[in-house]
């Protein structure tokens, strides 16, 4: 069995990350740099926290 790895680039927008997670029914995606190396993991919770922080600053 082969597992597809879902990833996005470090410069991707939050909205792109959310759409990618929803369309692939995953809660986390790998973040890669321009060389294809993994630089982090982004979760739905990370996106929700960022959204909450940005709305609190308004």
């Amino acid at each position: 069995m082969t597992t597809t790895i879902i990833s996005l680039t470090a410069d991707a927008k939050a909205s792109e990350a959310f759409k990618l997670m929803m369309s692939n029914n995953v809660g986390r995606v790998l973040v890669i740099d321009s060389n294809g190396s993994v630089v982090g993991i982004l979760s739905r919770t990370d996106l929700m926290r960022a959204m909450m922080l940005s709305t609190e600053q308004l």
Side-chain angles (χ1 to χ4, degrees):
M1 177 164 62
T2 303
T3 302
T4 302
I5 297 174
I6 309 300
S7 64
L8 51 80
T9 58
D11 62 347
K13 294 180 180 181
S15 60
E16 294 174 74
F18 184 73
K19 288 177 188 175
L20 183 66
M21 288 178 189
M22 295 304 292
S23 65
N24 288 282
N25 196 30
V26 296
R28 294 169 192 82
V29 294
L30 293 178
V31 181
I32 58 171
D33 65 13
S34 59
N35 297 320
S37 298
V38 176
V39 294
I41 299 173
L42 181 67
S43 70
R44 282 188 200 165
T45 303
D46 295 333
L47 291 174
M48 292 172 68
R49 282 187 185 133
M51 184 179 71
M52 287 181 61
L53 289 173
S54 68
T55 57
E56 287 176 0
Q57 294 175 4
L58 293 178

